[in-house]
Amino acid sequence: MNYQDLIQKTMPHTFHIPVLGLGYSIDTPIKVAQYGISSVASIVDDELIERMRVHYARQRGEDDSPIVKSEPDYRSRRITAYLDLMHRMVTEEFERLRSQPFGGDNDIDRYFSLLPPTSDMKLRYDAMLALAEGAERDAQAAALREQMVAGSIDVNIMSKVDKMNVDSDGNVLDEIYTDALAALRGFALSKLSSSIILSAGMNPRLYSYLEVFPDFFPDQEGNFRKKLILKVSDYRSALIQAKFLAKKGIWVSEFRIESGLNCGGHAFATEGNLLGPVLEEFKSRRAEMLTELLALYEPALENKRITLTRTPRTRISVQGGIGTAAENAFLLEYYGIEATGWGSPFLLVPEVTNVDKTTLDALANADSDAYYVSDSSPLGVLFNNFKDSTAEKQRLERIAKGRPGSPCHKRYLVSNTEFTKEPICTASRQYQQLKIRQLQALDPQPADLQMQISAFTEKLCLCDGLSTAALVKNNLIKPRENRAVAICPGPNLAWFSGIYSLDEMVGHIYGKIDLLARQLRPNMFINELNLYVDYLKKDVERHTAALNDKKAKYFSKFRANLLEGINYYKKLIPEITNQTVAYRQEMMAQLEAIEAGLS
C-alpha cells in the first residue's frame, strides 16, 4: 500500500476547509465533522469563542456559566472549554449518525454520498447497497461502520498575533499569558486529538512553548495525540521553521502550502514565488527534507528519553485559488500531495459557515472588481478585502463625517507606540486622529497630504469586523453592538455566483457536478500569475519617485521569479492531460501574453 492509499484509509476526504476569518468557520467543525470533513476554526478571538460556547451550552442544557476576564488564565480556559464542547458535540453526532440504518436517505447515507466517487469506502458502500438483505450485507455494513471516522476539529493561530497582557492592576503578566501562548495552551489542554495550524511566519517564543505539552510528542506506538501543521508559502521558509522545531523534538505533521496572493485573509506576496514552482520544489525535495529533519528530530527525542518506534509521516497539502475538480485532481495526482484546501467557496454555503444574509447576497452577486488586495489590515500585511462589505462602507462613512477609525475594544492587533506608551491599533479612532493631526501640523504641508492621510484611514477594525457575522447569524448580537461586517474572501470567489448546499460544493470539488460550467475561467496558475503581475506593477508605480537600490534589487528578483515561473508553466502544460487540447493551447497563449507584458 503506498502512502496515498494509506491516507485515504485514515482520512475519508481529500480536501479540508481552512480557517475563514475569526468567526466564519468558528463552529464549522460542528456542522461538517460528522460527515468525515475536516475543518479549521480560529482560536484568536476568545470573546467570540466564549459567546459561542455559552450559546451552544445553553442549547444543550449544559452549564453556561461564563468564564469572565477577572478569572486567572481566562483566555486559555475559554478556548479549552469551547474546544471540549465542540469535541462532545461532534462525537455525539457522529456516533448517532454511525448507528443509523443504511439505505434510508439517513445522515449515514449522506456521509457516504459525499465521499470521492473513486474512494474505496464509497465503492464498497455502493456494492453493499446492491446486496440482498442477509448475512453478507450485514457483514459489509458492519465493516463500513468500523472504517468510518469523523473529520478533524483543527484550530488556527496567527503566530505573530501575540501581544503581552496585563493583570487587573496593570502589571505585565508572564510570557505564558501572551495571546498566542495562551491560545496554544487552550488547545493543548483540550480533549481534542487533532491539529493546530500555525500561520503567518515564525514566532520562536510560541514554537518553543510547544515543548511544554506532552501531547505533541509521539506515544509508544509513534502516534501523536496533537499534531502540528505549518502554513507556508515556499520551501525555504518551511524548512527553516521545521528544523527549528525538530531540534526541540517537535515534528511537523503537515506542510500546508498556500498561494501568496490567490488566497483569502492576509496575503504574503513573497518575491514572486508562484505556486507551481513551489509545489515542484516540495515534490522533488520531499525525501531530502524528511531525511534532514529526522537527523535533527531523533537525537532531540533521545535527549527527552523518548524512543521513536517508527518514522513519523508528513503530509503535504495545498490551498489558494483552486476552482475546479480538474484542477483539484491535477494537484493531487501530479504533485503527489495528500489534500487540498477549499476555503472561500464555502462562504457561499450557509449550512457550513457564518455569513450574514446581507453579506451572503453581496458575495453571491459580486463581480471580480469587488475583490481586491488592500492595505486595510492593522498588521501591516496585505489583506484580501471585499468592497461591498458593510464594514468597508462604514469606514468610508466615518471618514466622510470627519470621524475616521474604529472604537478599539478587543485589542488583539495593538502594536503601535508612536503616540502612546501603551500600544494601540492603527485602525483605532485614537490612532487615526492623532496621526491626522500630526500630518496636518507639518510645515510646509506635503503635496501628497491627502494621499498620506488616506493610507492611514484605510485601516479597518478586523477584531470586530471578522467576528460580527457569526454573532449576527446566531442572533447573539447585542443592541448597542456594531453590526458592520468585514470579510476577506480570496479573489477566486469571483467565479462563483450563487448560494450552494454542502452536497453541491463537495460534488463540485469531486467533479460530480460543475458549478462553474458557464464560466470561462483561466487556470488557477494563470489567475495567480496575473495577481502577481498586477501586484508588481502597482508596487513599482508606488516607488517610482524614490527608488533605492534595495527596492530595485527586490523588483528585479520579483520579475525574474515570475519569468522563471512562466517558463516552468510552459513545460508543465503538456502534463495537464485531464484538460482538453484547446484548454492547454489557451493556457500557453495566456502565458506568452503575460510574458510579453513583463519584457
Side-chain angles (χ1 to χ4, degrees):
M1 181 184 298
N2 64 32
Y3 186 37
Q4 184 71 39
D5 290 336
L6 183 60
I7 288 295
Q8 187 60 49
K9 292 290 185 183
T10 56
M11 302 293 288
H13 288 274
T14 57
F15 80 94
H16 59 264
I17 303 174
V19 65
L20 294 165
L22 296 176
Y24 294 106
S25 63
I26 191 67
D27 57 352
T28 294
I30 296 172
K31 301 167 181 175
V32 302
Q34 67 266 34
Y35 299 114
I37 299 171
S38 297
S39 60
V40 188
S42 170
I43 53 171
V44 168
D45 187 346
D46 64 271
E47 292 190 32
L48 172 64
I49 284 170
E50 175 64 0
R51 289 173 72 171
M52 294 299 290
R53 181 191 68 83
V54 169
H55 167 67
Y56 277 113
R58 193 164 293 162
Q59 281 187 354
R60 290 166 53 83
E62 295 185 5
D63 181 10
D64 61 357
S65 303
I67 301 172
V68 298
K69 286 189 172 183
S70 59
E71 297 180 28
D73 202 19
Y74 72 90
R75 177 173 169 81
S76 170
R77 291 177 53 226
R78 284 175 167 180
I79 291 168
T80 301
Y82 181 61
L83 297 182
D84 285 348
L85 173 63
M86 282 207 290
H87 178 259
R88 288 195 302 277
M89 293 180 69
V90 167
T91 300
E92 290 171 10
E93 185 62 20
F94 177 69
E95 291 303 325
R96 181 196 66 80
L97 177 153
R98 187 158 64 169
S99 67
Q100 292 177 338
F102 283 110
D105 291 329
N106 290 319
D107 281 338
I108 193 169
D109 297 290
R110 191 183 189 196
Y111 179 103
F112 284 92
S113 71
L114 289 169
L115 293 176
T118 58
S119 75
D120 176 68
M121 285 182 70
K122 179 67 167 66
L123 295 173
R124 287 170 52 210
Y125 167 77
D126 291 337
M128 180 271 296
L129 288 183
L131 293 173
E133 295 287 345
E136 185 179 355
R137 174 170 170 150
D138 292 344
Q140 291 296 326
L144 283 171
R145 292 183 201 280
E146 185 64 27
Q147 194 176 358
M148 292 172 66
V149 294
S152 186
I153 305 172
D154 297 328
V155 302
N156 175 258
I157 294 176
M158 287 189 70
S159 297
K160 294 181 180 179
V161 179
D162 192 25
K163 77 173 188 301
M164 299 292 293
N165 287 306
V166 298
D167 62 20
S168 56
D169 296 322
N171 301 311
V172 177
L173 293 169
D174 188 83
E175 279 192 349
I176 66 167
Y177 297 104
T178 65
D179 277 359
L181 270 65
L184 171 59
R185 184 166 59 257
F187 169 71
L189 297 180
S190 75
K191 295 177 181 177
L192 291 179
S193 180
S194 61
S195 300
I196 186 167
I197 296 97
L198 301 183
S199 61
M202 183 169 165
N203 178 346
R205 176 170 65 192
L206 176 66
Y207 284 21
S208 298
Y209 193 48
L210 288 159
E211 283 188 272
V212 172
F213 304 102
D215 280 4
F216 288 104
F217 297 107
D219 61 19
Q220 290 182 343
E221 287 76 38
N223 299 312
F224 297 90
R225 182 169 176 79
K226 291 184 170 65
K227 296 180 180 180
L228 174 65
I229 295 174
L230 290 184
K231 188 188 292 185
V232 297
S233 56
D234 64 88
Y235 179 88
R236 180 177 174 274
S237 66
L239 183 59
I240 290 172
Q241 293 179 72
K243 288 172 71 173
F244 179 91
L245 291 159
K247 290 175 183 177
K248 297 179 178 299
I250 300 296
W251 188 253
V252 178
S253 293
E254 180 179 331
F255 291 103
R256 192 157 284 185
I257 304 166
E258 185 172 68
S259 168
L261 289 179
N262 199 11
C263 60
H266 286 88
F268 300 86
T270 64
E271 291 185 331
N273 297 311
L274 299 176
L275 187 60
V278 170
L279 287 169
E280 187 68 43
E281 187 168 15
F282 271 91
K283 176 183 177 180
S284 63
R285 303 183 68 180
R286 184 170 185 169
E288 172 192 339
M289 171 188 267
L290 296 181
T291 300
E292 194 170 345
L293 293 178
L294 278 172
L296 300 172
Y297 183 63
E298 289 175 331
L301 288 187
E302 289 174 6
N303 290 336
K304 297 176 183 296
R305 297 184 178 180
I306 298 174
T307 302
L308 190 61
T309 55
R310 67 181 183 189
T311 302
R313 300 189 185 97
T314 296
R315 284 162 48 95
I316 294 179
S317 62
V318 61
Q319 60 194 41
I322 309 168
T324 67
E327 290 174 349
N328 192 76
F330 179 77
L331 292 169
L332 293 169
E333 294 164 11
Y334 183 79
Y335 293 107
I337 61 174
E338 285 74 45
T340 56
W342 287 68
S344 296
F346 277 98
L347 293 171
L348 297 174
V349 184
E351 64 185 293
V352 172
T353 53
N354 292 307
V355 183
D356 61 290
K357 188 177 186 308
T358 299
T359 305
L360 182 63
D361 290 340
L363 290 174
N365 295 291
D367 58 26
S368 58
D369 292 338
Y371 303 89
Y372 69 109
V373 178
S374 73
D375 290 313
S376 299
S377 173
L379 290 175
V381 177
L382 292 175
F383 182 76
N384 282 291
N385 210 341
F386 182 57
K387 289 181 180 178
D388 297 330
S389 74
T390 50
E392 184 62 18
K393 292 175 181 177
Q394 183 183 72
R395 182 186 71 83
L396 296 174
E397 289 170 0
R398 285 171 169 170
I399 292 172
K401 292 177 181 178
R403 288 178 57 79
S406 305
C408 188
H409 305 297
K410 296 181 178 178
R411 297 178 52 82
Y412 295 127
L413 303 183
V414 297
S415 61
N416 187 281
T417 55
E418 186 178 355
F419 302 107
T420 57
K421 182 179 178 181
E422 295 294 327
I424 58 176
C425 179
T426 55
S428 68
R429 181 164 297 153
Q430 179 185 11
Y431 174 81
Q432 293 192 8
Q433 289 180 342
L434 290 169
K435 190 64 182 180
I436 290 171
R437 287 174 196 158
Q438 180 195 60
L439 293 172
Q440 291 173 335
L442 293 175
D443 189 18
Q445 287 190 353
D448 62 346
L449 174 64
Q450 192 53 52
M451 185 181 298
Q452 289 189 41
I453 291 175
S454 296
F456 290 103
T457 57
E458 185 178 0
K459 302 302 180 186
L460 194 64
C461 176
L462 302 183
C463 297
D464 280 338
L466 292 179
S467 61
T468 298
L471 299 176
V472 171
K473 187 169 180 180
N474 290 282
N475 297 314
L476 299 177
I477 199 84
K478 297 176 182 176
R480 296 177 63 87
E481 287 184 320
N482 187 359
R483 300 180 68 92
V485 169
I487 195 164
C488 49
N492 185 48
L493 193 60
W495 303 102
F496 292 84
S497 300
I499 298 172
Y500 310 106
S501 68
L502 172 62
D503 303 70
E504 287 175 321
M505 188 57 69
V506 174
H508 175 75
I509 292 170
Y510 292 141
K512 300 175 188 177
I513 59 173
D514 186 359
L515 300 177
L516 305 184
R518 299 180 182 178
Q519 296 280 5
L520 294 174
R521 176 184 175 277
N523 181 274
M524 60 177 289
F525 290 142
I526 299 292
N527 284 332
E528 187 203 42
L529 176 58
N530 279 322
L531 290 170
Y532 269 99
V533 171
D534 289 345
Y535 171 83
L536 177 60
K537 288 179 178 178
K538 290 176 183 176
D539 205 16
V540 169
E541 289 173 4
R542 281 198 298 265
H543 291 84
T544 300
L547 184 63
N548 56 40
D549 288 344
K550 182 179 179 181
K551 199 65 179 178
K553 289 179 181 177
Y554 168 79
F555 289 146
S556 178
K557 177 69 172 176
F558 200 113
R559 179 177 174 276
N561 283 339
L562 293 184
L563 291 171
E564 185 179 326
I566 289 172
N567 286 330
Y568 169 82
Y569 287 139
K570 286 181 177 179
K571 297 175 183 176
L572 180 70
I573 287 175
E575 305 293 333
I576 308 177
T577 55
N578 66 348
Q579 298 283 11
T580 65
V581 172
Y583 181 98
R584 295 196 293 271
Q585 290 175 340
E586 175 64 19
M587 190 174 174
M588 183 65 77
Q590 291 167 337
L591 284 174
E592 290 174 346
I594 296 170
E595 184 178 34
L598 282 170
S599 60

